[in-house]
């Protein structure tokens, strides 16, 4: 069964304190790994798609990387506006209906 | 210019009632979804709908039924509401097909409270 595990569940950082979020996955035939950001009261907002091991994507202070077993979302010098829940999801060959399977998310709080 | 819109944003109702949530997307996507997000923020797929093919998650009670009048709309009907149905329901859409799939685009959710 396809599975996504995110750690830590919650992370508190000081402004400027860099860190990484982890997404471990088990999937039959990875077709894509997706990172989303979710703010309170809003729907998840797409950040990145990674397709193969070794791939990296960057956007402002965020950088996503992918290996055959996990993905990392690196946050460099975070600001309070980066506070949100970050969700990881996978698309595998066995998922009927092309639905994404999500992890439980990491809630990031950045204080000034 | 909202891409995926859901109505209503909040829905408070009593046990046993029947209710509907509407979803519309203006992105020209061919596949739409309903996800349920519980109190711990876990997003779980309920339904996928593509070109009139419905894929149902086997854990979803048959009190829940999606209805799609056309490719841009996917509504969710819930009969005989129960306390455990309280959650945030998200509609999403994407373009599928080909070697790689595009990301899901989500609406802002409908918070359902059953009393």
């Amino acid at each position: 069964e396809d599975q996504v595990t995110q750690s830590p569940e919650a992370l508190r950082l000081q402004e400027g304190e860099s860190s990484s979020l982890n997404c471990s996955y088990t999937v039959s035939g990875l077709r894509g790994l997706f990172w989303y950001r979710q703010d309170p009261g809003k729907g998840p907002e797409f950040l990145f798609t990674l397709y193969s091991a070794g791939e990296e994507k960057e956007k402002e202070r965020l950088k996503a990387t992918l290996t055959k077993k996990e993905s990392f979302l690196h946050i460099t010098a975070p600001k309070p506006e980066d506070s949100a829940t970050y969700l990881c999801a996978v698309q595998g060959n066995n998922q009927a209906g092309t639905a994404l399977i999500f992890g439980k998310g990491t809630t990031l709080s950045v204080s000034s | 210019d909202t891409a995926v819109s859901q109505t209503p944003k909040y829905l408070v109702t009593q046990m046993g009632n029947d209710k509907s949530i509407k979803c519309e997307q203006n992105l020209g996507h061919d596949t739409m979804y309903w996800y349920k997000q519980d109190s711990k923020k876990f997003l779980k797929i309920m339904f996928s709908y593509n070109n009139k093919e419905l894929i149902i998650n086997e854990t979803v009670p048959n009190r829940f039924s999606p209805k799609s009048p056309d490719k841009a709309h996917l509504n969710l009907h819930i009969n005989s509401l129960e306390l455990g149905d309280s959650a945030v329901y998200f509609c999403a859409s994407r373009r599928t097909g080909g070697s790689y799939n595009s990301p899901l685009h989500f609406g802002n959710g409908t918070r359902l409270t059953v009393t």
Side-chain angles (χ1 to χ4, degrees), chain A residues 24-54:
Chain A
S24 298
Y25 64 90
T26 304
V27 66
S28 176
L30 181 70
R31 298 184 66 185
L33 184 141
F34 301 81
W35 281 99
Y36 285 83
R37 169 191 170 127
Q38 186 174 21
D39 292 300
K42 301 281 189 180
E45 178 187 350
F46 171 70
L47 293 173
F48 304 109
T49 309
L50 301 166
Y51 295 110
S52 57

Side-chain angles (χ1 to χ4, degrees), chain B residues 10-110:
Chain B
Y10 300 98
L11 184 55
V12 181
T13 188
Q14 291 184 327
M15 284 176 55
N17 285 348
D18 303 337
K19 290 293 180 184
S20 295
I21 306 172
K22 295 186 176 181
C23 178
E24 176 182 5
Q25 55 95 4
N26 62 6
L27 297 166
H29 289 164
D30 57 1
T31 304
M32 297 183 72
Y33 307 82
W34 280 107
Y35 278 83
K36 178 180 180 180
Q37 189 170 50
D38 61 25
S39 57
K40 295 188 177 181
K41 304 282 189 179
F42 183 45
L43 271 169
K44 189 170 183 180
I45 182 67
M46 299 177 70
F47 303 102
S48 305
Y49 201 90
N50 175 294
N51 292 328
K52 300 185 180 180
E53 181 188 12
L54 174 65
I55 307 294
I56 303 172
N57 185 313
E58 61 186 11
T59 66
V60 176
N62 58 15
R63 299 181 293 103
F64 290 78
S65 58
K67 287 183 171 38
S68 179
D70 54 57
K71 284 176 61 175
H73 296 84
L74 183 64
N75 304 324
L76 182 64
H77 298 273
I78 316 170
N79 294 325
S80 303
L81 277 155
E82 301 178 357
L83 292 176
D85 297 332
S86 296
V88 181
Y89 293 84
F90 285 98
C91 177
S93 71
R94 78 193 300 196
R95 175 180 52 83
T96 59
S99 299
Y100 304 117
N101 289 317
S102 65
L104 289 178
H105 294 257
F106 284 86
N108 280 328
T110 295

